[in-house]
Amino acid sequence: MRLFSLVLGILISSAPIGAAAWKEVFRDDFDGTSVNAAEWSMYHSPGHNGNGLRRASAFSVANGILTCTARMVNGQLVSGGMAHHRNYLYGKFEFRVRTTPESGTSTSGVVLTWPQSEQWPRDGENDIYETTTNRDRKSFHTFIHYPDAQGRDATWHRQHQVDASQWRTVAMEWEPGQIRIYHKEENAPFRGDEQPAAILSDPAMIPDNPHHLCIQLDAFAQTMTGESRLEVDWVRIYQWEQPAIAPDPASGSLLPAPPAGKTWKMVWNDEFDGQVIDGTKWDRPNWPRRDHFWRANSAFLDGQGHMVLRTEKIDGKYYSPCIRTIDRFYKAYGYFETRAKLPREEGHWTAFWLYHPDVNKVGNEGRDGTEIDIFEWPHRDGSVHHALHWDGYGAAHKNTSKTSHPPGILDGGFHVFSLWWTPEEYVFYVDGRETWRTSDGGVCQIPLYLKWSSEIGDWAGDITKAELPDDTVIDYVRVFDLVDVPSTSFNIRTFNRRNNQIHLSFQTQPGKLYTIFSSPDLSTWSAVPLQQSLRGSGGIFARSFPDPGGQRHFFRIDEF
């Protein structure tokens, strides 16, 4: 039995372990002789605002360059546009582009992202690069379109005073709280240490729904003299890869790194072992709920370590369950985690949330009571919803919410949903990846109880179209608290790195067995190649061993 471990870290670089980074998910170098129809769709429609025509014939690919040409054809101004098939919620969009001057003011070269929903301006538009109709192309512009309070088109704008008729590498980094625009002459992707040319930091102006990349040469007149060309050398799309939290070796939970001097301690849990729901932990109400009934017997254990929440139709009536820890367990602050397999049918949604009747208090924002929806699953489009509600549910009701699109959420397997609630903020996670961080409403300061529920209502679609029964399968529910790291009897004398060696010495206890392990990332550990595990004598153990290298490394001393 391991009595305790002491983990030591050597840091050579400031780069964090498993640092989040932009990961390339798509590229097109236009090396062929035609547009790749598997990745791009060509427009066949009237031109911009009805000016001329958009046709595939405007595009050509040669010598590694995509060219869109606008010219008069049989009395019609013909230009073109094309859209990438894949949609992304946030990301880095990077390309190398130029637009030739024209003799008139008929066309504008544009590279943009457009909403998958086609709902404009509701779901925004990011015009990363737009020359406008300025005939000499001596600058380009960035326009971010968003809906104002009345739902009308509003625009954030920046002009870039660089020659857009010459090749430029341009990029947009689009994140939940910020859009950053970059450009440079160099024909190379951005390294990540360049300064943005423009920054938008107002979340109300930033789209929060999936978009796809579009390349267009837009017509702003019915006729033109001569021709103009938009040329693109290459395109790259990246997604922000935030490494998931590594499972805790003891519990398997996806616990975020605690503050210095603290560690996580499980203070409440249910692994749903056995055959009967533990009534000392869970209450199961029986009463009408929205368009259905909460039915206690619609929640049950499957005998395989799972709680099942079943939505079903019995004798023409719809039933679903709710389980809650009311009058049994309340908690303010901590880490709340569940692992579950989600239902597939429409018309009902499952939710894991925290609640207290004091949510109905009005006047102190959410500090005296907030409904915290750690996650809700109303749709089957890959979206997960998080929400906060406070100041009751009447005229004073306030709320804020976030929709995320976690990777793999539609795979039909188990997924982990969690919340780190501190006195200062809420941090939401799906599968160990942060999806929302907020302090909106003033963070709740009172203990709340836990709820798992299945709801029926139009928000989730038409329940009459669902094939029932449909189940939510819950693997566990766990609650952790931050506690001080236990003190140990280790007396570290030296721990340093020099001459390609690690030098370590520490006080041992008589009769104890010590083993030293190393790890580059705290997820996988390897025993340091000592001749044998050390049996403590009460004296000082001192040893040097080969430096494993790397920017950062961790060592663990286990005492048995």
Side-chain angles (χ1 to χ4, degrees):
M1 176 181 179
R2 189 170 78 200
L3 298 182
F4 60 79
S5 297
L6 180 66
V7 179
L8 307 168
I10 291 182
L11 174 63
I12 301 302
S13 166
S14 61
I17 290 181
W22 292 113
K23 178 183 179 182
E24 184 180 300
V25 295
F26 172 77
R27 69 161 52 195
D28 197 334
D29 292 310
F30 304 112
D31 287 334
T33 58
S34 62
V35 174
N36 183 353
E39 295 290 351
W40 301 93
S41 294
M42 317 294 285
Y43 301 173
H44 187 88
S45 65
H48 175 72
N49 284 341
N51 291 307
L53 302 173
R54 286 169 167 163
R55 295 290 186 264
S57 60
F59 282 97
S60 61
V61 178
N63 302 317
I65 303 295
L66 170 76
T67 301
C68 182
T69 303
R71 59 167 70 96
M72 297 300 295
V73 178
N74 298 325
Q76 293 264 30
L77 196 165
V78 177
S79 63
M82 66 186 209
H84 185 41
H85 287 169
R86 307 183 210 175
N87 288 276
Y88 305 91
L89 178 63
Y90 311 123
K92 180 179 179 180
F93 299 81
E94 189 176 55
F95 47 90
R96 187 156 177 82
V97 64
R98 68 181 178 185
T99 306
T100 63
E102 66 162 297
S103 58
T105 57
S106 299
T107 63
S108 174
V110 191
V111 182
L112 69 146
T113 69
W114 183 259
Q116 178 183 15
S117 67
E118 299 287 338
Q119 297 297 313
W120 185 94
R122 186 195 73 184
D123 290 340
E125 173 188 347
N126 299 323
D127 299 336
I128 308 166
Y129 167 96
E130 183 166 358
T131 64
T132 70
T133 56
N134 186 357
R135 66 178 68 197
D136 61 11
R137 316 299 195 195
K138 290 302 183 183
S139 66
F140 77 90
H141 305 252
T142 298
F143 298 94
I144 306 299
H145 295 263
Y146 63 95
D148 66 11
Q150 288 72 44
R152 300 169 302 196
D153 177 39
T155 306
W156 176 89
H157 166 252
R158 290 294 182 273
Q159 184 173 8
H160 308 281
Q161 297 290 351
V162 295
D163 190 348
S165 71
Q166 303 299 310
W167 285 110
R168 305 291 301 182
T169 302
V170 182
M172 173 183 72
E173 292 178 346
W174 168 31
E175 297 182 0
Q178 194 171 85
I179 286 177
R180 298 178 293 275
I181 304 296
Y182 302 82
H183 59 80
K184 63 181 179 180
E185 293 184 15
E186 182 185 0
N187 184 9
F190 289 92
R191 299 182 304 273
D193 57 356
E194 298 91 347
Q195 290 298 311
I199 300 176
L200 169 61
S201 298
D202 185 344
M205 300 180 182
I206 297 173
D208 59 359
N209 51 84
H211 281 209
H212 53 268
L213 188 69
C214 300
I215 299 172
Q216 300 170 188
L217 185 55
D218 286 345
F220 282 77
Q222 292 290 347
T223 62
M224 69 179 299
T225 301
E227 63 180 38
S228 64
R229 297 186 306 278
L230 172 70
E231 297 178 326
V232 181
D233 188 3
W234 48 262
V235 169
R236 304 281 188 273
I237 300 177
Y238 307 81
Q239 289 284 276
W240 188 248
E241 185 177 62
Q242 183 181 25
I245 299 167
D248 174 64
S251 66
S253 285
L254 303 180
L255 299 172
K262 298 289 186 178
T263 189
W264 290 110
K265 178 183 179 182
M266 190 184 299
V267 295
W268 189 94
N269 70 300
D270 197 336
E271 309 298 317
F272 303 120
D273 296 325
Q275 303 293 326
V276 180
I277 294 173
D278 187 344
T280 67
K281 295 182 176 181
W282 300 103
D283 170 67
R284 292 180 291 161
N286 275 297
W287 57 49
R289 173 73 171 177
R290 290 194 172 96
D291 300 329
H292 64 295
F293 292 86
W294 269 346
R295 176 175 177 264
N297 289 340
S298 292
F300 55 91
L301 301 190
D302 66 359
Q304 301 177 33
H306 305 126
M307 167 84 78
V308 177
L309 305 184
R310 174 161 292 175
T311 298
E312 53 193 334
K313 186 177 183 180
I314 302 173
D315 296 331
K317 295 181 180 180
Y318 292 101
Y319 297 91
S320 70
C322 169
I323 60 172
R324 55 188 189 162
T325 65
I326 187 171
D327 299 329
R328 294 156 173 83
F329 177 76
Y330 295 76
K331 185 76 174 72
Y333 317 130
Y335 189 72
F336 303 78
E337 181 188 66
T338 191
R339 182 173 184 263
K341 184 183 294 185
L342 303 176
R344 292 183 172 273
E345 296 296 318
E346 69 169 289
H348 69 118
W349 72 94
T350 193
F352 178 50
W353 43 308
L354 307 179
Y355 184 77
H356 190 284
D358 283 357
V359 170
N360 290 289
K361 289 184 176 180
V362 176
N364 195 26
E365 294 192 303
R367 286 180 285 273
D368 55 1
T370 296
E371 174 188 324
I372 306 173
D373 298 331
I374 297 175
F375 95 97
E376 296 177 281
W377 177 247
H379 311 305
R380 305 300 180 257
D381 60 357
S383 62
V384 171
H385 293 255
H386 319 283
L388 305 171
H389 299 266
W390 66 94
D391 280 351
Y393 300 95
H397 171 248
K398 299 180 182 67
N399 71 290
T400 185
S401 63
K402 174 71 174 181
T403 299
S404 62
H405 293 76
I409 198 69
L410 294 172
D411 62 10
F414 282 92
H415 293 273
V416 178
F417 306 91
S418 49
L419 167 75
W420 187 356
W421 170 17
T422 74
E424 294 78 31
E425 66 179 357
Y426 309 103
V427 186
F428 296 78
Y429 301 84
V430 178
D431 291 330
R433 290 181 170 87
E434 182 180 326
T435 52
W436 190 28
R437 182 183 295 255
T438 183
S439 58
D440 286 355
V443 174
C444 183
Q445 308 291 310
I446 69 167
L448 306 177
Y449 65 81
L450 285 63
K451 297 180 76 169
W452 250 110
S453 66
S454 183
E455 313 274 359
I456 294 174
D458 292 342
W459 186 35
D462 187 351
I463 190 64
T464 65
K465 296 179 180 179
E467 294 185 12
L468 300 178
D470 194 22
D471 295 341
T472 301
V473 182
I474 308 169
D475 187 22
Y476 61 75
V477 177
R478 297 170 180 166
V479 181
F480 296 82
D481 211 352
L482 284 171
V483 297
D484 293 334
V485 173
S487 61
T488 74
S489 57
F490 277 132
N491 181 3
I492 301 297
R493 297 299 183 90
T494 61
F495 182 57
N496 54 58
R497 186 181 208 173
R498 65 179 183 272
N499 299 327
N500 297 317
Q501 293 280 306
I502 299 297
H503 303 274
L504 172 66
S505 65
F506 60 91
Q507 178 77 47
T508 66
Q509 298 297 316
K512 300 296 184 183
L513 185 67
Y514 299 90
T515 306
I516 304 172
F517 297 86
S518 71
S519 172
D521 56 11
L522 289 175
S523 62
T524 57
W525 293 90
S526 301
V528 170
L530 304 174
Q531 292 182 345
Q532 60 184 10
S533 295
L534 169 72
R535 179 70 66 179
S537 64
I540 302 297
F541 168 79
R543 184 67 59 90
S544 297
F545 43 87
D547 186 342
Q551 292 181 331
R552 183 193 287 251
H553 222 81
F554 290 84
F555 293 87
R556 189 181 85 210
I557 305 170
D558 285 3
E559 178 186 274
F560 296 85

